[in-house]
Amino acid sequence: MSQNAKDIAVLIGSLRKDSINRKAALALAGLAPPSLRLDLIEIGHLPFYNQELDGEPAQTPASYSDFRRRLARADGVIFATPEYNRSYPAVLKNAIDIGTRPYGKSIWSGKPAGVVSVSLGALGAFGANQQLRQLLANVNMRVLQQPEIYLAGADKLFDADGNVTVDSTRDLLRGFVDAFAAWTQPAAIAA
Ligand code: FNR
């Protein structure tokens, strides 16, 4: 990893200790080229967004401020999401909502973003992936379009320690993180 590596925050839409999304996120971190440093950011402790907390007088929780500061300095964000009832989980929506406020101070706008969806099921959390992309367009993130990653039957793709056990999956994830590295370069951002 180079000293000038881009700082990429990874948000995971599952709070499960044995989450396969977490395993996929860790695998991405391990496969990332030296130009990227992936850092998993926890979101499960963030209270449900309540607009009053950012009102007058402000009673902004320290957890919101810490999260906003951390994400504000990130050069990009990768989301790893499971599918809950054909959408992405509430914990991810909550974190994204928190990052959009106070009004006019969104931490997301203009940042490169990537989406990976991971499911036990056969559809690879396609619904969650697509709905999340719709939300990210609204918060004005620059979402990497290709390669799309829908990991289906994903409980069979990682061992207990989170290592990828299938070569084609490893190649897919490496291709994604390489494309994301190119996506964070100034030429791609200016395009
Ligand atoms: C699920 N799961 C699920 N899977 C899917 O492919 N499509 C779906 O719509 C749903 N819906 C759903 C709802 C709820 C409330 C739960 C808890 C689960 C199953 C899901 O893919 C599975 O639990 C994954 O293991 C979740 O990802 P993590 O936690 O392993 O990262």
Side-chain angles (χ1 to χ4, degrees), residues 14-158:
S14 171
L15 305 181
R16 246 163 41 86
K17 190 162 38 68
D18 293 330
S19 159
I20 41 179
N21 278 272
R22 181 171 289 270
K23 288 177 183 170
L26 287 169
L28 284 174
L31 293 167
S35 60
L36 295 186
R37 185 185 62 253
L38 272 58
D39 192 11
L40 275 54
I41 308 294
E42 301 301 331
I43 56 175
H45 62 295
L46 296 169
F48 273 130
Y49 187 66
N50 176 347
Q51 205 177 344
E52 282 169 10
L53 299 174
D54 282 324
E56 287 293 337
Q59 310 154 63
T60 310
S63 59
Y64 285 11
S65 304
D66 292 347
F67 176 74
R68 288 167 176 160
R69 260 196 306 274
R70 177 64 190 89
L71 269 293
R73 71 166 198 267
D75 297 308
V77 186
I78 292 175
F79 298 86
T81 186
E83 182 167 271
Y84 281 6
N85 301 312
R86 294 285 178 263
S87 186
Y88 50 84
V91 69
L92 212 43
K93 178 67 161 60
N94 187 48
I96 293 170
D97 288 343
I98 290 167
T100 60
R101 288 296 185 272
Y103 184 76
K105 295 191 174 166
S106 173
I107 53 170
W108 310 114
S109 191
K111 277 195 205 298
V115 178
V116 172
S117 59
V118 184
S119 171
L120 301 175
L123 302 181
F126 175 84
N129 189 313
Q130 291 297 313
Q131 289 201 10
L132 182 56
R133 285 169 182 268
Q134 188 179 346
L135 171 62
L136 299 182
N138 175 255
V139 301
N140 199 32
M141 297 195 89
R142 298 175 51 86
V143 184
L144 176 69
Q145 299 301 329
Q146 296 289 345
E148 296 166 286
I149 303 284
Y150 309 101
L151 288 190
D155 51 326
K156 296 174 189 69
L157 304 178
F158 302 91

